């Protein structure tokens, strides 16, 4: 068995059934994705549209669920809407409007997560709670027919301090609970909490994650020079 399939099998044996494993294949070659696919993996995450597109094209014959997990520019939405499974990184009303518009054109409904800024670092994208409330209360959002908000996403600070990471994940869970109570109480589709990467996934699961985004621990170190 290859190391990639071993890693995937290992992860699946450790995870509760209700937690979805997303294999983050950014910078990895097509062969690595195929290998993961053949060991049963179906959900893959990419952080850049320009990298996801050619991979999607080359692997069209496989029933892969593609997750866009990185920052998404409005002008790139049209390229991914036809095939994307879930957009994890919605961080503005303007972006949501464009996803809605393109989805309408393709006669589909696109599933999205609201991305929150939970880390102390100020480099990471994302909303705060009041900005999300503003979006959800807007007339523009209420009129949207072609997007479905399924939950929240966040990235913890890159630190050795696992108590800090835990606090940040806990704050995302709290945001999820508050939104559920105030906006999605009767909406069973609002159920996802996308949090946890290679370095912090155990804590994320303990704090209520439903989707892990794992790159390095499945595929090995990334090579950005290729
Ligand atoms: C790269 C990336 C991951 C995976 O990171 P690893 O540490 O390699 O598991 C998860 N989420 C996002 C948004 C990423 O860009």
């Amino acid at each position: 068995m290859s190391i990639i399939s071993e890693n995937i099998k290992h992860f699946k044996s450790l995870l509760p059934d209700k937690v979805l494993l997303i294999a983050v294949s950014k910078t990895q070659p097509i062969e690595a994705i195929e290998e993961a696919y053949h060991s049963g993996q179906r959900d893959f995450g990419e952080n850049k549209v320009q990298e996801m597109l050619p991979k999607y094209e080359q692997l069209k014959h496989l029933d892969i669920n593609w997750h866009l997990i990185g920052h998404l520019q409005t002008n790139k939405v049209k390229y991914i809407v036809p095939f994307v499974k879930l957009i994890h990184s919605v961080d503005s009303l303007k972006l949501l409007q464009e996803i809605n518009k393109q989805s309408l054109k393709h006669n589909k409904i696109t599933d999205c997560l609201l991305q929150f800024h939970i880390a102390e670092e100020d480099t990471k994208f994302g909303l705060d709670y009041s900005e999300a409330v503003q979006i959800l209360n807007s007339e523009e959002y209420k009129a949207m027919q072609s997007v479905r908000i399924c939950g929240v996403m966040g990235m913890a600070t890159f630190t050795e301090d696992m108590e800090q990471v835990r606090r940040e994940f806990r704050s995302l869970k709290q945001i999820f609970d508050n939104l559920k109570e105030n906006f999605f109480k009767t909406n069973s589709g609002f159920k996802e909490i996308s949090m946890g990467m290679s370095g912090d996934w155990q804590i994320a699961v303990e704090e209520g994650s439903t989707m892990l985004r794992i790159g390095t621990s499945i595929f090995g170190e990334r090579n950005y020079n290729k």
Side-chain angles (χ1 to χ4, degrees), residues 24 26 47 69 153 155 197-199 213-217 222:
V24 176
K26 65 188 187 201
N47 67 335
I69 60 172
M153 181 269 218
M155 284 167 92
M197 309 178 16
S198 293
R213 309 179 310 270
I214 307 290
T216 316
S217 293
R222 283 181 285 275

Side-chain angles (χ1 to χ4, degrees), residues 22 27-28 49 55 69 80 85 99 104 124 136 138 143 156 158 165 168 187 210 213-214 218:
I22 298 169
T27 79
Q28 303 295 341
V49 170
K55 285 176 171 172
I69 60 172
I80 62 164
K85 171 77 174 176
I99 297 169
L104 198 61
K124 284 179 183 157
L136 297 171
S138 70
F158 189 71
V165 169
E168 292 173 358
N187 180 341
T210 67
R213 309 179 310 270
I214 307 290
I218 290 176

Side-chain angles (χ1 to χ4, degrees), residues 122-137:
D122 48 33
T123 51
K124 284 179 183 157
F125 293 100
L127 302 161
D128 61 31
Y129 188 74
S130 67
E131 290 167 331
V133 166
Q134 227 169 48
I135 291 175
L136 297 171
N137 277 328

Side-chain angles (χ1 to χ4, degrees), residues 1-14 21 35-36 38-40 217-219:
M1 210 171 19
S2 79
I3 184 76
I4 292 175
S5 14
E6 270 178 46
N7 289 340
I8 287 173
K9 295 232 156 69
H10 180 66
F11 258 103
K12 292 205 163 147
S13 74
L14 296 174
L21 177 63
E35 213 170 300
H38 289 301
S39 67
S217 293
I218 290 176
F219 295 107

